[in-house]
Amino acid sequence: WMSVRVSGVLTTGAGQIVVRNLTCRNFYNDGFNIHGGSAPVWFEHIRGLWNGDEGFSCHENCECYVRGAEFSHNYWHGIADVGIARSHYQNMICRDNRSKGIYFIGGTHSVSDAEVSGSPIQIALSASDQQGYPRFEAMPLRTSVTNLRNVAVRSQPDQLGVLLTPNAQAVIEHCVIQG
């Protein structure tokens, strides 16, 4: 079944919020849907499962810190952070999502102590597509800059482990990439 509610947690322009011990499951759009300059927002011990779009999505110029999470079985992506968002994930499992486990489009991101598996593309890193921002060409966060540390990326033969597109940068440290 699918909820008629859009998202489990939806913010626009919020800050100084801590969300703990929450599962967002079967929502029409994202489990956790962060918008409009919300910063900083902290999440601890959360789960985004079986949602109609993403398990977690940080948009525009938001800043999120996620510690202890699972984003699995979502219709498109486990995580999709876009625009010039800044997000940081620690101690996370992201598996069995329909398109991508993690999809970072622009902004700066870090993932540490995580396992990503079971999606057609486990991790995709791409430059931002948000051309509507004023003076977008001068923004340093228009390129995706991601640090992966202590991440296990497990792929089957018909899956892709890490996809790095033009104008996206990654530092990959102490990671295991299988498949």
Side-chain angles (χ1 to χ4, degrees):
W1 65 273
M2 184 67 64
S3 171
V4 295
R5 295 184 184 261
V6 175
S7 297
V9 172
L10 174 63
T11 67
T12 301
Q16 302 295 329
I17 294 175
V18 178
V19 176
R20 289 189 179 112
N21 305 317
L22 183 64
T23 296
C24 293
R25 181 183 181 125
N26 297 107
F27 284 93
Y28 178 75
N29 190 6
D30 302 335
F32 297 84
N33 195 350
I34 315 306
H35 279 274
S38 296
V41 184
W42 292 274
F43 298 88
E44 297 177 352
H45 309 290
I46 62 170
R47 298 168 68 207
L49 310 171
W50 298 99
N51 293 292
D53 202 7
E54 279 87 42
F56 192 97
S57 192
C58 180
H59 297 261
E60 294 101 22
N61 59 336
C62 296
E63 183 173 10
C64 296
Y65 298 86
V66 179
R67 185 173 50 216
E70 179 184 357
F71 305 111
S72 300
H73 306 287
N74 294 288
Y75 192 78
W76 286 116
H77 316 301
I79 298 168
D81 295 348
V82 302
I84 53 172
R86 296 160 324 275
S87 60
H88 310 279
Y89 298 88
Q90 181 182 21
N91 190 23
M92 177 190 64
I93 295 171
C94 192
R95 63 176 162 227
D96 300 322
N97 295 285
R98 185 172 182 192
S99 180
K100 297 172 187 72
I102 298 173
Y103 194 19
F104 292 148
I105 308 171
T108 183
H109 313 280
S110 65
V111 179
S112 63
D113 306 318
E115 177 187 334
V116 185
S117 63
S119 303
I121 300 173
Q122 308 316 326
I123 300 174
L125 310 175
S126 177
S128 180
D129 57 0
Q130 302 293 312
Q131 299 295 326
Y133 285 118
R135 297 188 30 84
F136 180 76
E137 70 284 348
M139 289 187 178
L141 295 180
R142 72 185 180 284
T143 62
S144 181
V145 179
T146 302
N147 184 316
L148 303 175
R149 184 175 178 82
N150 298 331
V151 178
V153 179
R154 294 189 172 91
S155 302
Q156 298 299 319
D158 61 337
Q159 299 172 341
L160 187 60
V162 178
L163 173 64
L164 188 65
T165 65
N167 294 319
Q169 301 173 24
V171 176
I172 301 174
E173 309 174 276
H174 308 288
C175 294
V176 173
I177 301 175
Q178 297 175 325

